[in-house]
């Protein structure tokens, strides 16, 4: 049986135990351990540590910073099996998906570490005796808030960006899935990251955010999570004049043109949708398929969905693990019932599996009306919505109809279609003929209600910096 680690706070280079709330295994609803709750005194200690750590870290040569960060990534790669087992226990995803998440997190850490060596300034030409120099400097201590659905890679994005730019960070990770962040931080501790540069706290999310964000020591807020919470934190950050990175929810459309193989595309869509049981902000969800291939696509999708093996994520043969918590089961049941009442066809799944553990099959619904709740609310679960469209213009109009704008996908063999999609679909990330929304070297983030700012790529790293212009007249 895989072991679950003892979760602790990490403040100023020291581990600290504390009482807190239970951590639940979603496969069998057993208690794995306890996540500690930080007190206000702990948060004050973390703030002081981050201030001290920033003074040290910003003065550390970028090459030395990169060396330490890369050592941490290498250590995480060595520990991938142990880390993945803990993440599967707490979050439910199949063990191979957990390993891939950790390795993807390492890719992000390593890319940011080396890109941190290239946060160049510039010199602006001027008249003799005058020089204008533009510097990029680390913004300062960061308050970071990460979600439960990607326990390691989401915290890794924030830690990697902050540290690679020369910032210190207080990471408030998920209380429901704390092991990924805990083991990430432990790797940095074990390779000798200076005390105070990286701090880890858990507790009541609202209380921690409302305490940290107004603090003058905090210079940047970064949050990944729901739109309502993101809007609240953005409002708070604005009130205290703090820049923010907001990576919020989505409801990703998928446009399937009639020039592709409907059977192959349908099967690929089922696999793409099943990742992390659909609990992904960029999960492909609203499928708009041109009429001539609609039924073939829908049937292929449903057949492949029905073939997925649902079970405990620790079983290597499992393809679809449990949902992370009972809230997701309730949401799936509510959305499916509403869609059926409004005339949708259930092509696959549709009902909870068993009554112990949070298991729900990949569910494919067809012919949903526009007013179905699932068509307007982010399901954040294994729910795929398949509807026919007559033209590409109609598909784009439906794709853009919601206030979400994080990710979208499209399948076409036509260069002109691809160009039209790239220009017209209102999202921060568009993937054509595949289901990968972002990689380490590309910027990731949304438009409209899905947020602002970017994580990943050069653009993401620059969010952790401020621009200073130095105008020097020689005497």
């Amino acid at each position: 049986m895989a072991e679950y680690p003892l979760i602790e706070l990490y403040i100023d280079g020291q581990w600290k135990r504390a009482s807190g709330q239970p951590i639940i295994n979603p496969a069998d609803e057993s208690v794995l351990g306890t996540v500690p709750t930080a007190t206000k005194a702990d948060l004050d200690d973390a703030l002081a540590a981050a201030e001290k750590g920033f003074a040290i870290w910003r003065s550390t040569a970028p090459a030395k910073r990169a060396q330490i960060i890369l050592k941490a990534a290498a250590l995480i790669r060595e520990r991938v099996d142990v880390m993945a087992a803990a993440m599967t226990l707490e979050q439910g995803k199949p063990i191979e998906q957990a390993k891939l998440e950790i390795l993807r997190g390492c890719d992000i850490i390593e890319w940011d570490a080396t890109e941190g060596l290239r946060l160049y300034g510039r010199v602006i030409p001027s008249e003799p005796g005058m020089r204008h120099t533009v510097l990029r400097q680390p913004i300062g201590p960061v308050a970071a808030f990460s979600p439960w659905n990607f326990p390691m890679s989401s915290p890794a994005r924030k830690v990697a960006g902050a540290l690679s730019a020369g910032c210190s960070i207080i990471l408030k990770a998920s209380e429901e899935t704390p092991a990924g962040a805990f083991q990430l931080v432990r790797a940095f501790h074990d390779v000798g990251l200076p005390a105070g540069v990286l701090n880890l706290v858990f507790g009541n999310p609202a209380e921690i955010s409302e305490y940290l964000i107004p603090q003058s020591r905090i210079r940047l807020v970064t949050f990944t999570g729901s739109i309502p919470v993101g809007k609240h934190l953005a409002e708070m950050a604005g009130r205290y004049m703090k820049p923010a990175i907001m990576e919020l929810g989505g409801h990703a459309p998928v446009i399937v043109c009639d020039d592709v193989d409907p059977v192959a595309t349908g099967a690929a869509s089922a696999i793409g949708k099943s990742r992390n049981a659909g609990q992904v902000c960029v999960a492909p969800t609203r499928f708009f398929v041109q009429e001539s291939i609609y039924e073939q696509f829908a049937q292929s999708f449903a057949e492949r969905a029905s073939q997925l093996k649902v079970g405990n994520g620790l079983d290597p043969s499992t393809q679809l693990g449990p949902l992370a918590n009972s809230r997701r089961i309730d949401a799936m049941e509510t959305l499916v019932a509403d869609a059926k009442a409004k005339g949708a066809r259930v092509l696959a799944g549709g009902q909870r599996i068993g009554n112990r553990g949070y298991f729900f099959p990949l569910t494919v619904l067809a012919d949903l009306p526009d007013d179905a709740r699932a068509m307007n609310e982010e399901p954040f679960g294994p729910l795929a919505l398949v509807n026919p469209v007559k033209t590409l213009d109609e598909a784009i109009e439906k794709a853009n109809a919601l206030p979400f704008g994080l990710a979208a996908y499209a399948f076409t063999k036509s260069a002109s279609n691809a160009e039209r999609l790239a220009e017209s679909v209102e999202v921060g990330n568009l993937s054509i003929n595949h289901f990968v929304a972002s990689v380490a070297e590309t910027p990731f983030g949304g438009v409209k209600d899905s947020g602002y700012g970017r994580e990943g790529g050069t653009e993401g790293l620059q969010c952790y910096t401020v621009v200073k212009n130095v105008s020097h007249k020689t005497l």
Side-chain angles (χ1 to χ4, degrees), residues 6 9 15 48 78 99 116 121-122 132 154 181 194 215 226 258 282 285 345 352 360 374 379 409 447 472 475:
L6 174 66
L9 306 174
W15 297 104
E78 292 176 11
K99 291 178 183 178
R122 61 194 176 104
H132 304 295
S154 184
Q215 301 292 332
S226 72
D258 58 10
V282 296
T285 301
R345 291 186 290 152
R352 180 179 182 175
F360 202 91
Y409 307 89
V447 299
H472 179 196
L475 298 177

Side-chain angles (χ1 to χ4, degrees), residues 148 249-252 273 277-281 283-286 323 325 327-333 335-336 363 365 368 372-385 402 404:
W148 53 259
H251 200 328
K273 180 64 194 181
Q279 300 167 120
V280 188
C281 54
T285 301
R286 295 179 294 140
L323 302 191
N325 51 61
R327 302 189 306 276
R328 303 320 313 145
I329 291 288
D330 294 342
M332 295 306 101
E333 292 179 336
L335 293 174
V336 170
T363 296
L365 302 179
L368 292 89
R373 285 183 58 181
M375 291 296 292
N376 296 278
E377 302 174 18
E378 181 183 21
F380 216 71
L383 190 58
L385 319 171
L402 300 185
F404 307 99

Side-chain angles (χ1 to χ4, degrees), residues 62 65-67 69-74 77 102-120 156-157 159-165 188 438-444 454-464:
R65 295 198 299 248
Q67 183 181 41
I69 296 168
L70 290 171
K71 282 183 178 180
R77 289 187 182 277
I102 294 165
L103 296 176
R104 178 171 175 266
C106 289
D107 290 343
I108 292 168
I109 294 168
E110 291 160 350
W111 195 90
D112 278 3
T114 53
E115 187 66 10
L117 301 173
R118 293 182 285 275
L119 284 172
Y120 303 135
R157 275 190 184 275
V159 170
L163 268 56
S164 298
F188 278 94
S438 68
V439 293
E441 59 268 30
T442 60
F444 177 72
R454 291 295 180 264
E455 294 187 311
T458 300
E459 294 84 355
L461 201 57
Q462 289 175 347
C463 286
Y464 291 89

Side-chain angles (χ1 to χ4, degrees), residues 42 76 103 147 183 190 247 271 275 295 341 359 400 405 437 451:
D42 292 325
I76 292 168
L103 296 176
Q183 292 171 318
D190 290 348
E247 194 267 282
I271 299 302
R275 176 177 171 244
E295 288 296 340
F359 295 98
N400 292 341

Side-chain angles (χ1 to χ4, degrees), residues 17-355:
R17 298 184 185 181
S19 60
Q21 66 188 54
I23 305 162
I24 304 300
N25 182 339
D28 59 15
E29 302 179 51
S30 63
V31 176
L32 294 168
T34 301
V35 61
T37 297
T39 64
K40 285 190 176 180
D42 292 325
L43 298 180
D44 285 336
D45 289 343
L47 286 162
E51 184 176 45
K52 179 188 71 176
F54 177 56
I56 296 169
W57 195 239
R58 73 176 302 176
S59 300
T60 302
K64 177 64 174 177
R65 295 198 299 248
Q67 183 181 41
I68 294 172
I69 296 168
L70 290 171
K71 282 183 178 180
L75 187 57
I76 292 168
R77 289 187 182 277
E78 292 176 11
R79 296 174 175 175
V80 63
D81 291 337
V82 173
M83 290 180 64
M87 284 171 50
T88 293
L89 283 171
E90 68 180 8
Q91 201 269 335
K93 68 184 64 184
I95 188 72
E96 289 304 316
Q97 290 186 28
K99 291 178 183 178
L100 287 174
E101 178 188 337
I102 294 165
L103 296 176
R104 178 171 175 266
C106 289
D107 290 343
I108 292 168
I109 294 168
E110 291 160 350
W111 195 90
D112 278 3
T114 53
E115 187 66 10
L117 301 173
R118 293 182 285 275
L119 284 172
Y120 303 135
R122 61 194 176 104
V123 175
I124 300 171
S126 186
E127 69 266 20
M130 179 68 77
R131 173 161 291 187
H132 304 295
T133 306
V134 180
L135 306 177
R136 276 204 175 270
Q137 297 180 317
I139 194 169
V142 175
F145 303 87
S146 63
W148 53 259
N149 59 327
F150 286 100
M152 187 275 179
S153 63
S154 184
R157 275 190 184 275
K158 301 179 188 307
V159 170
L163 268 56
S164 298
C167 300
S168 60
I169 183 170
I170 301 173
L171 173 64
K172 204 298 290 182
S174 168
E175 290 71 34
E176 292 181 286
T177 57
F182 170 77
Q183 292 171 318
L184 168 73
V185 171
R186 184 162 65 181
F188 278 94
H189 171 82
D190 290 348
V191 299
L193 184 72
V197 176
L198 172 58
N199 304 274
L200 175 65
V201 297
F202 302 99
N204 183 291
E207 291 178 2
I208 291 177
S209 60
E210 288 171 6
Y211 192 75
L212 289 182
I213 291 174
Q215 301 292 332
S216 60
R217 291 163 166 165
I218 295 299
R219 299 298 180 86
L220 172 71
V221 177
T222 173
F223 171 77
T224 298
S226 72
I227 290 173
V229 175
K231 287 183 175 181
H232 174 67
L233 297 188
E235 180 183 5
M236 194 186 312
R239 191 182 314 141
Y240 294 96
M241 203 54 67
K242 307 291 174 71
I245 303 169
M246 290 286 151
E247 194 267 282
L248 308 180
H251 200 328
V254 184
I255 295 173
V256 183
C257 298
D258 58 10
D259 58 352
V260 301
D261 181 340
V263 175
T265 307
S269 296
I271 299 302
K273 180 64 194 181
S274 69
R275 176 177 171 244
N276 204 26
Q279 300 167 120
V280 188
C281 54
V282 296
T285 301
R286 295 179 294 140
F287 292 80
F288 300 112
V289 186
Q290 286 196 271
E291 286 180 341
S292 65
I293 62 169
Y294 172 66
E295 288 296 340
Q296 286 178 284
F297 173 89
Q299 290 303 319
S300 175
F301 197 139
E303 288 174 12
R304 188 68 185 89
S306 299
Q307 294 166 0
L308 294 171
K309 181 178 178 181
V310 181
N312 191 315
L314 292 175
D315 181 346
S317 66
T318 291
Q319 297 169 296
L320 191 74
L323 302 191
N325 51 61
S326 61
R327 302 189 306 276
R328 303 320 313 145
I329 291 288
D330 294 342
M332 295 306 101
E333 292 179 336
T334 299
L335 293 174
V336 170
D338 174 78
K340 289 170 64 177
K342 291 174 178 172
R345 291 186 290 152
V346 180
L347 302 185
Q351 292 183 327
R352 180 179 182 175
I353 301 172
N355 56 14

